[in-house]
Amino acid sequence: MEKSLELINQKIRDGNATVVTADRMPTLVDEIGEDRALNEVDVVTTGTFGAMCSSGAFLNFGHADPPIRMERVWLNEVEAYGGIAAVDTYIGATQQSTTLGEQYGGAHVMEDLVSGNMIELHGTSRGTDCYPRRTITTELVIDDLNQAIMVNPRNAYQRYNAATNSTDRTLYTYMGTLLPSYGNITFSGAGALSPLSNDPGFRTIGSGVPIFLCGSTGMIIGEGTQHSPAGGFGTLMVTGDMKEMHPEFLRAATMHQYGVTLYVGVGVAIPILDKELVRSTAIRDEDIVVDILDYGVPSRNRPSLRKITYAELKSGKVELNSEEVRISSLSSNRKAHDVACTLQDWIKKGKFQLALPTKRISTTKISRPMRETARVPRVRDIMNTNVVSISEDESIKTAARKLLRGDTNHLPVLDREGTVVGIVTTYDVSKAVVKEEKNQKVKDVMTIKVIKTVPDEHVDVAAQKLERYNISALPVVDERNHMVGMLTAIDLGKLFGKRWQK
Amino acid sequence: MKLLLTFSKKKGREPVIAQVVKQTGVLISVERAHIDSVSGEVLIDVPDTDAREVCDLMQAKGVTVRILEHGVSLNEEECIDCGACVSVCPKEVFYMDEEYRLHLRDERCVLCGKCITACPHHALSQTL
Ligand code: SF4
Ligand code: SF4
């Protein structure tokens, strides 16, 4: 048996459609079976509420008098794109305030607009014959705008990999605060309640389909940027009228030391047309598997530590390297549920009609990495291989002599096998000399906790280490921790210019 | 009860906490300590019934004592129940109920501040 969309929409108009939220579907199908579920359920509503950085809005302010063709635009001191006609702009969610930094950004401007708060528009122009005005500053609320149309290039990710941190320092990422030494795990996404999890074949999710977007009736434009459904990471590009949105379902946020982002509520209603859709909407958190990635590795290809399901993620803890690690979510499960319930309510009340895609979204695409035409320099390309080193038991005097003769400020300390066991600097040696203690050896003054790099590391990453630890040289070691060279701020300076010469 | 002790540079060198433990016999647990070259701040937990005695003696020894009545506080208007705070807290102050709503056991809080920076929605703060 199959059902037509017309029939479902008729039932919605008549106020007798059966609508269930996606999290109810698995138990329902268990209880009554697929056939009866197809017969009885007309619509399954889904929802997600999480950080979606790739969001923004087109705004039109109407013409000023005398008119201006704004080339640069700021809203509450957050710069918006000025390359589209006279009084149009696109405000991106992650753009930060010129004065408040990560405490206020494009996402906050959007939340302020939707909340009915006043915002300040400032624009500049070089002035033309038809648009003579050069600056404008005015205060506006959303009702003063002709249009405030949200267009989010990449929303509603099907799923997200979870994050943890192997390093010995806290990382602040777009996946939140990651404590040192696998101190916690974070994840995002609503799992089985997520729109794309419920129709991975994109049969009912496609261009032109009406959706719940931040409290308004929005629409799917088509596939989102970086759409990668072949690997289970589909995305959607969506749009909606901000004048109809509600701050309950759109919240600006700041990920500490990462930046501004926007929490967006998205929900899709899936018509239950056939058994395949009964099955796909009966997905459980247990069925959705992702990787736990190590964000301590600063590379696009972060290693996976293990697989994990959304059911485990939502349980709050998991075993990793035979230790229990606590997990927390970044997106809101409660709000995701609110989205699905609100959409359910709209449909039950006949306020929301369904439509099938006017254009299907690809189910086979794989998002490609960036093609880079310039080779990114690695540590091996600029490191110094002619390194003067010292051993632990040598005297301070020998160290001083070597430092002078080697014309360097750092001596890596090696054991007999050539393993790096410490580092001594000109400063350590001078301090030892001032102390005047007898028979001081290198091992008494050296730093044991050595920050190191490897030949394959990207130069940018090594440079970050120097900056973070406020040091000026890094021993370069191979996989066995044997010394193969030194990288100094001076080497980096040659590459990057003065910035690295400490 | 939680007491926040502030030591001046000089007092920081004397084993004040140990002295108080010895003199009063009250078991003091140190929850958090931050000591730098200028001053020190130590958060201790003592049984409610002994708090007065400990407080008085600390003050007599020149330590500034503040009673911390509340842990970190939550602004429910701003909180969206994301849970980003849950796993960063060393004291397991936060937990989610069945409906994924956030709850606090603020009596456990040692005001380390980790959750305050981790919250993307500025919903947590320290009331002093
Ligand atoms: S301040 Fe520290 S101890 Fe208190 S709730 Fe936050 S993370 Fe937990
Ligand atoms: S991180 Fe902030 S917004 Fe999220 S649950 Fe905790 S207090 Fe609420």
Side-chain angles (χ1 to χ4, degrees), chain A residues 172-190:
Chain A
Y172 299 100
T173 70
Y174 60 85
M175 290 301 286
T177 303
L178 299 174
L179 302 175
S181 317
Y182 310 107
N184 67 341
I185 294 169
T186 64
F187 76 102
S188 199

Side-chain angles (χ1 to χ4, degrees), chain A residues 194-214:
Chain A
S194 234
L196 298 191
S197 298
N198 284 275
D199 182 15
F202 293 88
R203 295 182 54 228
T204 65
I205 296 178
S207 299
V209 168
I211 56 168
F212 173 105
L213 183 61
C214 303

Side-chain angles (χ1 to χ4, degrees), chain B residues 96-108:
Chain B
M96 289 279 179
D97 66 17
E98 303 265 276
E99 285 163 352
Y100 297 107
R101 205 174 274 280
L102 187 77
H103 294 272
L104 272 71
R105 296 172 280 223
D106 80 331
E107 70 284 357
R108 296 185 176 196

